[in-house]
Structures are given as C-alpha cells and as structure tokens.
Amino acid sequence: MYLTEDQLKDHLQQVDLEISEVLLEQMLHHIGSLDPVLRDELIYSRLAEWIMSEKFTGSSAERIASFVFSQDGLFYHLAQTDETAVFRRSFSALILAVLLEKDATVHVLAESVYDDISSQLLRYLNMEDDFRGFVPTYGWAHSVAHIADVYDAWFKHPRCQIHQEQAAIARFIEILMTPDYVFVDEEQERVITAWLAARERGVEDDVLLTMLERPIEGWLDLPVTWGDAQFNVLRNTKQLLRTLYFRVKWQDKTSTLPEQIEHLLFQIHQRYQ
C-alpha cells in the first residue's frame, strides 16, 4: 500500500531519516507529484543526498535504474494526452543524472545497465515533446533541462562512448530550434553544458558546427513569412547560438568555433532584418 502524498511529506521531513527499500518505493511512486515541495524539496533532494552518500548500495542503484528506464519512469505516458505526466518523466531523468554522477566515481550500477543507457536516453529524447519549463501551480517541469543534466553526467562517464552520441546532440539541436515552443528558462545553458562535456571528451568543433549548420541553413532557405512558428524558430535559434558562442569563448580562447557561430548569426541577421 502506498502512502498518501501528505503522509509521505510528513515522513520525509524527519531530520534523521533512513531510506529503506520500502521508503524508496514510496518515493519513486510519488516522484512526479504535482506538489512542488514534495517533488523538488523532499523526494528529489532526499534521494540525491542519499545516492551520493556512503550508505547507498548497488541494489538500490539497480532498483532506481530499473524504475527510470521503465514505463513508470522516463517513458511514463509518452505519446499520450497527459499534461502532468512530464513531471514524472522529468524528475526520473533528474534522479538518473545523480545516479550516473555517483557511478562515475563509485561503481554501483550493474554491467548490463551500460549496454542500454545510450539507446534508452536517445529513445526518450526522440519521443519527449513537452518542453515546458516553469508551469504555474505545479512548478518546474523542465524536461529539456533535466535530460540535458543526464547527458552531462553521461558524457562525463568513463563508460560513455562519446563518438557514438552525435545523434543525441543533433536531436537537442532539433528540439532547441522547435517552432512549437519558445525556450525562456535557460534550457540552452543546460544543454550546452552537456555539449561542452562532450567537447572535452573529444567531440571536435567541426563536427558540432556541421550539426548546427545543416538545420540552420535548411531553415534559412525557406521563404520569410514572419508567421508565429517561424518567429519561434528565429528566437530559439539565435538564443542557442548566442549561448554557445559565449560558453565556448569563455572555455577555450583558442577555438575558432565562436567566429564560425558569429558567421551563422550574421547570416540569420541578413535574412531576418
């Protein structure tokens, strides 16, 4: 039997709380709660602290990974009309980011998990279409930012084959150039943090530039209509490039990538002025 949200909230507010297998199941069940205090401040924060502690075990890591990659976690109600399901998916992702960060330094995941991480993350990334950031009443959904945090942790993980992750980077570009939503909650920063992790692991600047150029140049070839969808792409694309420009420039003063990004921005300016 599952606790009610109020019962779980009271329980998690205990100072010297020990997370048992039973309590873990309760927390996973309510991980997508629409109560931002329970979801963000208690379930996520308590789980993150516990995962990074010395008390965390491999069996608990396997249970969390199993949940995250199930239809109850990262893939919960995808492709269904459910305006609140994104919270369960998004916070499942956020817990996975902590788990991967832990595993990168202290091995807690089963070997079999590594075989599926890349494909499962890309599957989710290709399917997610709820890109809202802050949702009134319910708080942060932030699916794009949270899955970006997962990729940041995964790109830094020693078991990640970074040169096999280009499809994920391309999908992030597609999402951040969407005509369906305007990103206003720093999603670009979180995604680019992951990209910079990939860059440090060996993804070359010319590879990243090519992945950016292809969709941008294809979009620039379209007639300028100034319709809402086209204006959304304009705003999203300019913000993506501006953010990437400064982040690379600050990280690596010898890179020519900022100059090439500036050229893309100039092309956009010429087309849309």
Side-chain angles (χ1 to χ4, degrees):
M1 176 182 291
Y2 289 110
L3 298 175
T4 66
E5 291 196 350
D6 286 340
Q7 289 171 329
L8 182 58
K9 184 185 288 188
D10 288 342
H11 192 62
L12 293 178
Q13 288 173 335
Q14 297 178 28
V15 176
D16 298 321
L17 181 72
E18 293 286 340
I19 298 180
S20 63
E21 292 183 8
V22 174
L23 181 55
L24 174 59
E25 292 301 320
Q26 298 285 348
M27 296 170 82
L28 293 177
H29 178 73
H30 291 289
I31 200 168
S33 169
L34 300 182
D35 178 343
V37 173
L38 176 60
R39 183 186 67 242
D40 298 36
E41 299 178 21
L42 294 174
I43 294 177
Y44 167 70
S45 295
R46 287 285 199 173
L47 282 177
E49 181 181 9
W50 175 56
I51 289 169
M52 298 305 292
S53 75
E54 295 182 356
K55 297 178 181 179
F56 189 66
T57 64
S59 61
S60 295
E62 290 182 33
R63 174 61 190 123
I64 292 173
S66 174
F67 171 83
V68 168
F69 290 120
S70 74
Q71 297 299 317
D72 293 323
L74 204 57
F75 300 99
Y76 181 69
H77 286 191
L78 272 171
Q80 296 185 30
T81 304
D82 185 340
E83 292 187 352
T84 60
V86 66
F87 290 95
R88 180 180 281 244
R89 299 193 297 266
S90 181
F91 278 81
S92 295
L94 204 54
I95 285 299
L96 178 61
V98 180
L99 185 58
L100 287 172
E101 181 182 353
K102 169 78 171 189
D103 189 71
T105 56
V106 180
H107 181 62
V108 291
L109 287 171
E111 286 294 313
S112 58
V113 174
Y114 301 123
D115 297 334
D116 296 328
I117 288 178
S118 183
S119 60
Q120 292 282 56
L121 290 181
L122 184 59
R123 177 183 165 221
Y124 166 74
L125 198 61
N126 282 329
M127 295 178 70
E128 182 62 81
D129 62 1
D130 190 336
F131 303 140
R132 291 173 296 169
F134 187 82
V135 180
T137 303
Y138 301 142
W140 290 102
H142 235 193
S143 65
V144 175
H146 289 185
I147 194 62
D149 291 349
V150 177
Y151 271 102
D152 181 41
W154 177 232
F155 288 164
K156 293 173 180 173
H157 196 285
R159 295 298 293 271
C160 176
Q161 301 297 313
I162 196 64
H163 292 290
Q164 298 177 13
E165 300 293 339
Q166 291 183 23
I169 296 175
R171 173 56 180 158
F172 271 119
I173 294 170
E174 182 181 16
I175 289 172
L176 291 176
M177 289 181 61
T178 183
D180 301 322
Y181 183 81
V182 176
F183 292 101
V184 296
D185 289 313
E186 296 287 288
E187 290 87 353
Q188 296 90 346
E189 291 283 356
R190 303 273 275 274
V191 171
I192 289 168
T193 294
W195 290 0
L196 294 182
R199 188 172 178 268
E200 290 183 351
R201 289 289 304 279
V203 174
E204 300 291 341
D205 284 352
D206 60 347
V207 172
L208 182 56
L209 181 67
T210 298
M211 286 192 286
L212 283 165
E213 285 178 332
R214 285 172 182 165
I216 290 174
E217 289 176 353
W219 167 63
L220 287 174
D221 285 339
L222 298 174
V224 176
T225 65
W226 290 107
D228 289 344
Q230 195 173 65
F231 191 54
N232 288 350
V233 176
L234 175 64
R235 294 174 65 188
N236 284 333
T237 304
K238 288 171 69 175
Q239 186 59 35
L240 169 62
L241 292 176
R242 288 166 179 159
T243 306
L244 182 59
Y245 173 90
F246 283 107
R247 292 292 299 276
V248 174
K249 193 177 182 68
W250 295 336
Q251 184 190 64
D252 182 0
K253 297 188 182 302
T254 65
S255 174
T256 61
L257 183 57
E259 182 179 343
Q260 294 162 315
I261 294 170
E262 184 177 355
H263 179 66
L264 283 175
L265 281 166
F266 181 67
Q267 288 180 281
I268 293 171
H269 173 71
Q270 285 185 308
R271 188 76 169 125
Y272 289 86
Q273 61 176 322

mmCIF file of all heavy atoms in Angstrom, residues 3-18 23 26-27 30 33 35 37-39 41-43 46:
data_model
loop_
_atom_site.group_PDB
_atom_site.id
_atom_site.type_symbol
_atom_site.label_atom_id
_atom_site.label_comp_id
_atom_site.label_asym_id
_atom_site.label_seq_id
_atom_site.Cartn_x
_atom_site.Cartn_y
_atom_site.Cartn_z
ATOM 1 N N LEU A 3 1.714 5.227 0.588
ATOM 2 C CA LEU A 3 1.344 6.352 1.437
ATOM 3 C C LEU A 3 0.675 7.430 0.599
ATOM 4 O O LEU A 3 0.917 7.542 -0.598
ATOM 5 C CB LEU A 3 2.598 6.943 2.092
ATOM 6 C CG LEU A 3 3.409 6.043 3.024
ATOM 7 C CD1 LEU A 3 4.670 6.780 3.451
ATOM 8 C CD2 LEU A 3 2.589 5.631 4.235
ATOM 9 N N THR A 4 -0.166 8.224 1.230
ATOM 10 C CA THR A 4 -0.676 9.410 0.556
ATOM 11 C C THR A 4 0.467 10.421 0.448
ATOM 12 O O THR A 4 1.502 10.297 1.130
ATOM 13 C CB THR A 4 -1.838 10.048 1.324
ATOM 14 O OG1 THR A 4 -1.347 10.564 2.571
ATOM 15 C CG2 THR A 4 -2.945 9.023 1.583
ATOM 16 N N GLU A 5 0.291 11.440 -0.395
ATOM 17 C CA GLU A 5 1.340 12.450 -0.530
ATOM 18 C C GLU A 5 1.563 13.192 0.780
ATOM 19 O O GLU A 5 2.707 13.499 1.127
ATOM 20 C CB GLU A 5 0.980 13.413 -1.658
ATOM 21 C CG GLU A 5 1.045 12.776 -3.031
ATOM 22 C CD GLU A 5 1.083 13.789 -4.152
ATOM 23 O OE1 GLU A 5 0.874 14.987 -3.880
ATOM 24 O OE2 GLU A 5 1.356 13.380 -5.305
ATOM 25 N N ASP A 6 0.494 13.466 1.515
ATOM 26 C CA ASP A 6 0.651 14.161 2.794
ATOM 27 C C ASP A 6 1.401 13.289 3.795
ATOM 28 O O ASP A 6 2.246 13.784 4.556
ATOM 29 C CB ASP A 6 -0.718 14.549 3.362
ATOM 30 C CG ASP A 6 -1.340 15.726 2.622
ATOM 31 O OD1 ASP A 6 -0.591 16.467 1.956
ATOM 32 O OD2 ASP A 6 -2.573 15.898 2.713
ATOM 33 N N GLN A 7 1.110 11.986 3.806
ATOM 34 C CA GLN A 7 1.813 11.086 4.711
ATOM 35 C C GLN A 7 3.290 11.007 4.361
ATOM 36 O O GLN A 7 4.149 11.037 5.244
ATOM 37 C CB GLN A 7 1.177 9.684 4.648
ATOM 38 C CG GLN A 7 -0.194 9.594 5.280
ATOM 39 C CD GLN A 7 -0.864 8.256 5.007
ATOM 40 O OE1 GLN A 7 -0.646 7.616 3.965
ATOM 41 N NE2 GLN A 7 -1.696 7.815 5.946
ATOM 42 N N LEU A 8 3.584 10.913 3.068
ATOM 43 C CA LEU A 8 4.981 10.836 2.644
ATOM 44 C C LEU A 8 5.706 12.142 2.948
ATOM 45 O O LEU A 8 6.870 12.131 3.379
ATOM 46 C CB LEU A 8 5.059 10.526 1.144
ATOM 47 C CG LEU A 8 6.476 10.376 0.571
ATOM 48 C CD1 LEU A 8 7.244 9.270 1.289
ATOM 49 C CD2 LEU A 8 6.419 10.113 -0.929
ATOM 50 N N LYS A 9 5.036 13.253 2.740
ATOM 51 C CA LYS A 9 5.657 14.551 3.025
ATOM 52 C C LYS A 9 6.035 14.648 4.504
ATOM 53 O O LYS A 9 7.151 15.072 4.848
ATOM 54 C CB LYS A 9 4.710 15.684 2.638
ATOM 55 C CG LYS A 9 5.326 17.070 2.811
ATOM 56 C CD LYS A 9 4.322 18.178 2.548
ATOM 57 C CE LYS A 9 3.994 18.300 1.091
ATOM 58 N NZ LYS A 9 3.147 19.510 0.817
ATOM 59 N N ASP A 10 5.134 14.253 5.374
ATOM 60 C CA ASP A 10 5.427 14.286 6.812
ATOM 61 C C ASP A 10 6.610 13.378 7.144
ATOM 62 O O ASP A 10 7.486 13.741 7.942
ATOM 63 C CB ASP A 10 4.198 13.835 7.602
ATOM 64 C CG ASP A 10 3.070 14.871 7.597
ATOM 65 O OD1 ASP A 10 3.359 16.049 7.289
ATOM 66 O OD2 ASP A 10 1.921 14.504 7.868
ATOM 67 N N HIS A 11 6.638 12.219 6.523
ATOM 68 C CA HIS A 11 7.702 11.255 6.803
ATOM 69 C C HIS A 11 9.060 11.786 6.341
ATOM 70 O O HIS A 11 10.066 11.647 7.057
ATOM 71 C CB HIS A 11 7.378 9.937 6.108
ATOM 72 C CG HIS A 11 8.246 8.800 6.554
ATOM 73 N ND1 HIS A 11 8.280 8.337 7.861
ATOM 74 C CD2 HIS A 11 9.138 8.032 5.869
ATOM 75 C CE1 HIS A 11 9.142 7.341 7.956
ATOM 76 N NE2 HIS A 11 9.673 7.138 6.763
ATOM 77 N N LEU A 12 9.095 12.389 5.169
ATOM 78 C CA LEU A 12 10.361 12.860 4.612
ATOM 79 C C LEU A 12 10.891 14.103 5.306
ATOM 80 O O LEU A 12 12.054 14.473 5.107
ATOM 81 C CB LEU A 12 10.205 13.142 3.112
ATOM 82 C CG LEU A 12 9.956 11.915 2.227
ATOM 83 C CD1 LEU A 12 9.771 12.340 0.773
ATOM 84 C CD2 LEU A 12 11.100 10.917 2.343
ATOM 85 N N GLN A 13 10.084 14.735 6.117
ATOM 86 C CA GLN A 13 10.531 15.917 6.844
ATOM 87 C C GLN A 13 11.254 15.563 8.141
ATOM 88 O O GLN A 13 11.749 16.448 8.834
ATOM 89 C CB GLN A 13 9.343 16.834 7.128
ATOM 90 C CG GLN A 13 8.844 17.547 5.871
ATOM 91 C CD GLN A 13 7.568 18.338 6.092
ATOM 92 O OE1 GLN A 13 6.781 18.039 6.997
ATOM 93 N NE2 GLN A 13 7.339 19.345 5.271
ATOM 94 N N GLN A 14 11.348 14.274 8.445
ATOM 95 C CA GLN A 14 12.101 13.852 9.621
ATOM 96 C C GLN A 14 13.579 14.174 9.429
ATOM 97 O O GLN A 14 14.130 14.022 8.333
ATOM 98 C CB GLN A 14 11.928 12.352 9.854
ATOM 99 C CG GLN A 14 10.506 11.930 10.165
ATOM 100 C CD GLN A 14 10.391 10.420 10.340
ATOM 101 O OE1 GLN A 14 11.348 9.764 10.734
ATOM 102 N NE2 GLN A 14 9.225 9.870 10.050
ATOM 103 N N VAL A 15 14.211 14.588 10.504
ATOM 104 C CA VAL A 15 15.605 15.035 10.415
ATOM 105 C C VAL A 15 16.548 13.866 10.150
ATOM 106 O O VAL A 15 17.364 13.892 9.233
ATOM 107 C CB VAL A 15 16.016 15.776 11.705
ATOM 108 C CG1 VAL A 15 17.500 16.141 11.641
ATOM 109 C CG2 VAL A 15 15.154 17.016 11.897
ATOM 110 N N ASP A 16 16.468 12.819 10.942
ATOM 111 C CA ASP A 16 17.386 11.678 10.834
ATOM 112 C C ASP A 16 16.741 10.547 10.045
ATOM 113 O O ASP A 16 16.613 9.415 10.519
ATOM 114 C CB ASP A 16 17.793 11.193 12.224
ATOM 115 C CG ASP A 16 18.533 12.274 13.008
ATOM 116 O OD1 ASP A 16 19.340 12.985 12.383
ATOM 117 O OD2 ASP A 16 18.294 12.403 14.222
ATOM 118 N N LEU A 17 16.373 10.849 8.831
ATOM 119 C CA LEU A 17 15.640 9.885 8.003
ATOM 120 C C LEU A 17 16.586 8.842 7.408
ATOM 121 O O LEU A 17 17.640 9.174 6.874
ATOM 122 C CB LEU A 17 14.916 10.617 6.873
ATOM 123 C CG LEU A 17 14.076 9.756 5.939
ATOM 124 C CD1 LEU A 17 12.821 9.283 6.659
ATOM 125 C CD2 LEU A 17 13.704 10.539 4.687
ATOM 126 N N GLU A 18 16.202 7.586 7.486
ATOM 127 C CA GLU A 18 16.913 6.500 6.827
ATOM 128 C C GLU A 18 16.041 6.007 5.679
ATOM 129 O O GLU A 18 14.866 5.692 5.874
ATOM 130 C CB GLU A 18 17.176 5.356 7.811
ATOM 131 C CG GLU A 18 18.152 5.691 8.928
ATOM 132 C CD GLU A 18 19.588 5.760 8.444
ATOM 133 O OE1 GLU A 18 19.870 5.187 7.370
ATOM 134 O OE2 GLU A 18 20.423 6.381 9.130
ATOM 135 N N LEU A 23 10.731 2.581 1.751
ATOM 136 C CA LEU A 23 10.582 4.024 1.563
ATOM 137 C C LEU A 23 11.004 4.431 0.154
ATOM 138 O O LEU A 23 10.375 5.313 -0.457
ATOM 139 C CB LEU A 23 11.409 4.790 2.595
ATOM 140 C CG LEU A 23 11.332 6.315 2.522
ATOM 141 C CD1 LEU A 23 9.894 6.808 2.606
ATOM 142 C CD2 LEU A 23 12.181 6.954 3.615
ATOM 143 N N GLN A 26 8.133 4.078 -2.118
ATOM 144 C CA GLN A 26 7.165 5.160 -1.921
ATOM 145 C C GLN A 26 7.629 6.425 -2.634
ATOM 146 O O GLN A 26 6.833 7.125 -3.281
ATOM 147 C CB GLN A 26 6.992 5.434 -0.417
ATOM 148 C CG GLN A 26 6.444 4.292 0.407
ATOM 149 C CD GLN A 26 4.960 4.079 0.194
ATOM 150 O OE1 GLN A 26 4.269 4.913 -0.399
ATOM 151 N NE2 GLN A 26 4.439 2.953 0.668
ATOM 152 N N MET A 27 8.898 6.722 -2.547
ATOM 153 C CA MET A 27 9.438 7.938 -3.159
ATOM 154 C C MET A 27 9.398 7.850 -4.678
ATOM 155 O O MET A 27 9.065 8.820 -5.363
ATOM 156 C CB MET A 27 10.860 8.187 -2.656
ATOM 157 C CG MET A 27 10.926 8.450 -1.161
ATOM 158 S SD MET A 27 12.600 8.471 -0.484
ATOM 159 C CE MET A 27 13.113 10.142 -0.886
ATOM 160 N N HIS A 30 5.892 8.427 -6.030
ATOM 161 C CA HIS A 30 5.425 9.819 -5.992
ATOM 162 C C HIS A 30 6.418 10.795 -6.622
ATOM 163 O O HIS A 30 6.285 12.009 -6.437
ATOM 164 C CB HIS A 30 5.163 10.245 -4.541
ATOM 165 C CG HIS A 30 3.978 9.576 -3.899
ATOM 166 N ND1 HIS A 30 2.683 9.868 -4.252
ATOM 167 C CD2 HIS A 30 3.905 8.612 -2.932
ATOM 168 C CE1 HIS A 30 1.843 9.141 -3.520
ATOM 169 N NE2 HIS A 30 2.565 8.371 -2.716
ATOM 170 N N SER A 33 5.065 13.874 -8.363
ATOM 171 C CA SER A 33 3.999 14.579 -7.651
ATOM 172 C C SER A 33 3.813 15.997 -8.181
ATOM 173 O O SER A 33 4.780 16.668 -8.561
ATOM 174 C CB SER A 33 4.329 14.640 -6.154
ATOM 175 O OG SER A 33 3.449 15.516 -5.475
ATOM 176 N N ASP A 35 2.850 18.336 -6.336
ATOM 177 C CA ASP A 35 3.187 19.190 -5.204
ATOM 178 C C ASP A 35 4.680 19.498 -5.300
ATOM 179 O O ASP A 35 5.518 18.621 -5.071
ATOM 180 C CB ASP A 35 2.880 18.461 -3.894
ATOM 181 C CG ASP A 35 3.245 19.277 -2.668
ATOM 182 O OD1 ASP A 35 4.010 20.257 -2.784
ATOM 183 O OD2 ASP A 35 2.785 18.918 -1.566
ATOM 184 N N VAL A 37 6.740 21.064 -3.440
ATOM 185 C CA VAL A 37 7.508 20.889 -2.205
ATOM 186 C C VAL A 37 7.867 19.420 -2.022
ATOM 187 O O VAL A 37 9.019 19.067 -1.752
ATOM 188 C CB VAL A 37 6.714 21.415 -0.988
ATOM 189 C CG1 VAL A 37 7.443 21.078 0.310
ATOM 190 C CG2 VAL A 37 6.506 22.920 -1.096
ATOM 191 N N LEU A 38 6.878 18.539 -2.181
ATOM 192 C CA LEU A 38 7.136 17.107 -2.052
ATOM 193 C C LEU A 38 8.101 16.631 -3.143
ATOM 194 O O LEU A 38 9.055 15.904 -2.860
ATOM 195 C CB LEU A 38 5.824 16.328 -2.126
ATOM 196 C CG LEU A 38 5.937 14.803 -2.095
ATOM 197 C CD1 LEU A 38 6.611 14.327 -0.815
ATOM 198 C CD2 LEU A 38 4.556 14.155 -2.249
ATOM 199 N N ARG A 39 7.861 17.050 -4.376
ATOM 200 C CA ARG A 39 8.630 16.556 -5.518
ATOM 201 C C ARG A 39 10.069 17.073 -5.514
ATOM 202 O O ARG A 39 11.022 16.301 -5.614
ATOM 203 C CB ARG A 39 7.932 16.971 -6.812
ATOM 204 C CG ARG A 39 8.596 16.456 -8.086
ATOM 205 C CD ARG A 39 7.920 17.038 -9.312
ATOM 206 N NE ARG A 39 8.121 18.478 -9.425
ATOM 207 C CZ ARG A 39 7.131 19.378 -9.398
ATOM 208 N NH1 ARG A 39 5.871 19.000 -9.289
ATOM 209 N NH2 ARG A 39 7.406 20.674 -9.488
ATOM 210 N N GLU A 41 11.717 19.496 -3.191
ATOM 211 C CA GLU A 41 12.441 19.749 -1.951
ATOM 212 C C GLU A 41 12.606 18.515 -1.079
ATOM 213 O O GLU A 41 13.547 18.452 -0.267
ATOM 214 C CB GLU A 41 11.741 20.852 -1.162
ATOM 215 C CG GLU A 41 11.670 22.188 -1.894
ATOM 216 C CD GLU A 41 10.917 23.246 -1.106
ATOM 217 O OE1 GLU A 41 10.803 23.087 0.127
ATOM 218 O OE2 GLU A 41 10.444 24.221 -1.715
ATOM 219 N N LEU A 42 11.709 17.536 -1.231
ATOM 220 C CA LEU A 42 11.771 16.370 -0.361
ATOM 221 C C LEU A 42 12.197 15.106 -1.111
ATOM 222 O O LEU A 42 13.240 14.530 -0.823
ATOM 223 C CB LEU A 42 10.418 16.166 0.335
ATOM 224 C CG LEU A 42 10.045 17.280 1.323
ATOM 225 C CD1 LEU A 42 8.632 17.083 1.864
ATOM 226 C CD2 LEU A 42 11.048 17.322 2.481
ATOM 227 N N ILE A 43 11.414 14.680 -2.107
ATOM 228 C CA ILE A 43 11.768 13.435 -2.788
ATOM 229 C C ILE A 43 13.092 13.575 -3.539
ATOM 230 O O ILE A 43 14.033 12.813 -3.305
ATOM 231 C CB ILE A 43 10.645 12.991 -3.746
ATOM 232 C CG1 ILE A 43 9.394 12.619 -2.951
ATOM 233 C CG2 ILE A 43 11.110 11.798 -4.581
ATOM 234 C CD1 ILE A 43 8.203 12.234 -3.815
ATOM 235 N N ARG A 46 16.137 14.536 -1.097
ATOM 236 C CA ARG A 46 16.498 13.436 -0.207
ATOM 237 C C ARG A 46 17.151 12.287 -0.972
ATOM 238 O O ARG A 46 18.145 11.700 -0.522
ATOM 239 C CB ARG A 46 15.246 12.927 0.516
ATOM 240 C CG ARG A 46 14.715 13.854 1.597
ATOM 241 C CD ARG A 46 15.594 13.801 2.847
ATOM 242 N NE ARG A 46 14.897 14.307 4.001
ATOM 243 C CZ ARG A 46 15.369 14.262 5.245
ATOM 244 N NH1 ARG A 46 16.545 13.726 5.473
ATOM 245 N NH2 ARG A 46 14.678 14.743 6.257
#
